[in-house]
Amino acid sequence: MSEIKCPNCKSEMKTVVEPDIDYEKCPKCEGIFLDNTELNVLATGMCGDIEHNSIDSDKHKDIYNVRACPKCENKTMQKVNLLNFSDTIFDYCPTCKGFYLDRGELNLTNEQLRELVSNKVNEEYRDIKDGYALTGETVESIDYKIEQGLGVSVPVAIKVKYFRIGVWFPESLNLNLRLHKEKWSFKFGKLFGINK
């Protein structure tokens, strides 16, 4: 990948390589440029598409001037607001869908997102340990089970809490594993203890 100039101070940005993501960071002002979907990886306070839900057409005032996208020639970035609820303003390029965050804005974003999920439901986790990226999320959703009564089958909504965890390795383990999605009938059987 070719070097890009920081939209804030025009210094050469350096690529930060982590097991699950590569992004550009300015060594001088510590701003970061994230390609499409990379903000969703690093914004871990809550689950969901932080990028898509932060993009709007409103005019947002920012302490920083309008900036040019470091990847798209002669394209101006627009100011967008974190989930439209905070004072955190990002620079967003509608052409390449990249985000520029000033120093400290990623940490501030994660703090604000954690405040939104104080009950620890729909929360994400990400950390780097010994060269491995560990990710996890707690998700609460509504599922349905069928209850029988008086000869009538009635669907009943139940809350289900899931915890998903992932480990990103810096290199392939060559295990040749295949993942298959569970069939709906197998999931349905789990509700009644038939499949475990």
Side-chain angles (χ1 to χ4, degrees):
M1 172 190 233
S2 60
E3 296 284 333
I4 63 171
K5 300 277 187 189
C6 175
N8 181 48
C9 69
K10 307 302 182 222
S11 299
E12 291 279 325
M13 297 188 89
K14 302 297 180 196
T15 301
V16 176
V17 178
E18 294 183 0
D20 57 341
I21 189 174
D22 298 351
Y23 60 92
E24 284 69 45
K25 183 172 184 177
C26 179
K28 185 174 179 185
C29 71
E30 297 181 8
I32 59 176
F33 184 81
L34 304 170
D35 291 322
N36 187 25
T37 73
E38 291 179 342
L39 178 58
N40 285 334
V41 173
L42 296 178
T44 58
M46 71 184 293
C47 298
D49 192 340
I50 303 303
E51 293 182 14
H52 176 75
N53 293 314
S54 295
I55 299 167
D56 58 26
S57 57
D58 297 342
K59 300 288 184 199
H60 298 286
K61 291 186 179 182
D62 192 11
I63 59 173
Y64 302 103
N65 293 328
V66 173
R67 294 169 167 149
C69 178
K71 290 200 171 177
C72 301
E73 195 170 321
N74 300 320
K75 296 289 183 180
T76 302
M77 299 179 87
Q78 68 186 57
K79 303 290 184 180
V80 296
N81 182 252
L82 170 63
L83 298 180
N84 226 0
F85 85 96
S86 76
D87 294 331
T88 305
I89 306 296
F90 303 136
D91 293 282
Y92 168 72
C93 177
T95 304
C96 71
K97 302 191 181 340
F99 285 85
Y100 178 79
L101 282 67
D102 290 288
R103 182 181 65 193
E105 284 184 338
L106 181 60
N107 289 337
L108 180 62
T109 295
N110 285 330
E111 288 172 19
Q112 291 173 338
L113 293 174
R114 275 191 291 276
E115 288 174 13
L116 287 175
V117 289
S118 57
N119 61 357
K120 302 299 180 198
V121 173
N122 298 328
E123 180 184 38
E124 287 185 335
Y125 169 83
R126 179 181 180 274
D127 198 6
I128 306 293
K129 297 281 188 193
D130 299 326
Y132 302 103
L134 306 173
T135 61
E137 61 181 333
T138 303
V139 180
E140 188 172 275
S141 65
I142 301 295
D143 217 337
Y144 293 91
K145 68 178 183 176
I146 304 296
E147 286 196 357
Q148 301 284 336
L150 301 172
V152 179
S153 299
V154 179
V156 177
I158 55 172
K159 283 188 179 181
V160 180
K161 190 182 278 191
Y162 300 98
F163 183 74
R164 296 183 192 121
I165 189 161
V167 180
W168 297 83
F169 297 91
E171 346 179 305
S172 173
L173 298 178
N174 295 320
L175 296 176
N176 296 323
L177 295 175
R178 293 183 184 184
L179 300 178
H180 300 278
K181 187 174 181 179
E182 287 182 341
K183 294 181 180 178
W184 71 268
S185 58
F186 191 82
K187 289 181 183 180
F188 188 74
K190 283 182 174 179
L191 288 175
F192 299 102
I194 298 169
N195 300 321
K196 294 184 179 183

